[in-house]
């Protein structure tokens, strides 16, 4: 917006009121789909598996451009990524799910999560889609790897493993004691 447009905007309070009302309406938009009773889900792929998480917990999704590995970090920490001037921890769920770990590929994506304790970033091999889904979930298959994982909510009708981002970010395994590692 140039200076002349800004002055015009500031001199017309009715225009400003309309735009502020529109902004409030957009900010209050709920991602729950009332027609189906479902919630908008982001579906993504890690290796050969499909995962989903509620879109309301994601601030944004973007391609992985660069990251800085951290020396002696646990395998679930990919490193630090710069998101709009903020350094955030990038997490790879594979080690937490006992899946084979590979370095991020050039086509990987970042899902920026908003958590109560701060933001974090999940690594995804690819983003499949965003879709409304009914809240009905089948139990997740019980294996030695995920029997105690509290942040796996179940499997949706498209056979994606549904993750609870709030429970994920509260997982005590994500707390890294730098003195214990050193």
């Amino acid at each position: 917006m140039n200076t002349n447009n800004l002055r015009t905007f500031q001199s017309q309070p009715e225009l400003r009121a309309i735009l502020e009302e529109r902004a409030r309406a957009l900010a209050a938009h709920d991602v729950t789909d009332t027609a189906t009773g479902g919630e908008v889900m982001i579906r993504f792929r890690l290796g050969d598996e499909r995962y989903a998480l509620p879109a309301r917990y994601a601030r944004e999704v973007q391609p992985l451009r660069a990251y800085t590995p951290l020396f002696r970090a646990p395998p679930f920490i990919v490193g630090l990524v710069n998101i709009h001037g903020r350094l955030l921890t990038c997490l790879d769920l594979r080690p937490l799910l006992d899946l084979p770990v590979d370095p991020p590929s050039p086509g990987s994506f970042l899902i920026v999560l908003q958590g109560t304790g701060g933001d974090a970033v999940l690594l995804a091999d690819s983003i499949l889609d965003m879709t409304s889904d009914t809240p009905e979930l089948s139990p997740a298959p019980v294996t030695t790897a995920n029997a105690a994982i509290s942040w796996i909510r179940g499997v949706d009708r498209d056979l994606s493993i549904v993750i609870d981002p709030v429970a994920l970010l509260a997982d005590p395994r994500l707390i890294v004691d730098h003195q214990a590692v050193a």
Side-chain angles (χ1 to χ4, degrees):
M1 181 178 275
N2 68 33
T3 308
N4 290 333
N5 289 342
L6 181 59
R7 286 188 188 120
T8 303
F9 175 73
Q10 290 173 335
S11 68
Q12 297 179 5
E14 63 281 351
L15 177 61
R16 184 178 186 144
I18 291 169
L19 293 176
E20 286 177 355
E21 181 60 33
R22 286 181 186 171
R24 276 192 291 281
L26 288 171
H29 177 68
D30 189 5
V31 295
T32 302
D33 184 330
T34 55
T36 63
E39 182 171 29
V40 176
M41 304 292 281
I42 298 173
R43 294 191 199 292
F44 61 97
R45 187 171 294 283
L46 279 176
D48 295 332
E49 301 291 329
R50 294 167 48 111
Y51 295 87
L53 58 86
R56 64 187 157 123
Y57 295 109
R59 187 164 44 102
E60 66 183 284
V61 175
Q62 63 175 258
L64 173 64
R65 291 181 184 86
Y67 68 97
T68 302
L70 297 174
F71 180 68
R72 298 183 71 181
F76 62 84
I77 296 180
V78 175
L80 296 176
V81 293
N82 184 339
I83 307 291
H84 307 297
R86 292 180 58 211
L87 292 178
L88 299 176
T89 304
C90 182
L91 305 174
D92 186 350
L93 297 180
R94 283 177 268 247
L96 300 172
L97 297 167
D98 289 336
L99 298 173
V101 179
D102 291 320
S105 65
S108 297
F109 284 85
L110 303 174
I111 303 171
V112 182
L113 299 177
Q114 295 175 311
T116 55
D119 294 344
V121 178
L122 292 184
L123 181 68
D125 292 336
S126 63
I127 302 296
L128 300 173
D129 61 14
M130 285 185 65
T131 184
S132 284
D133 196 6
T134 58
E136 298 174 27
L137 298 175
S138 300
V142 177
T143 65
T144 312
N146 69 7
I149 299 176
S150 63
W151 40 268
I152 293 180
R153 293 295 176 225
V155 178
D156 67 13
R157 69 174 185 258
D158 294 325
L159 301 178
S160 296
I161 298 169
V162 178
I163 295 171
D164 178 347
V166 174
L168 168 65
L169 295 179
D171 188 329
R173 295 181 294 169
L174 297 182
I175 298 172
V176 178
D177 183 356
H178 70 285
Q179 293 175 351
V181 176

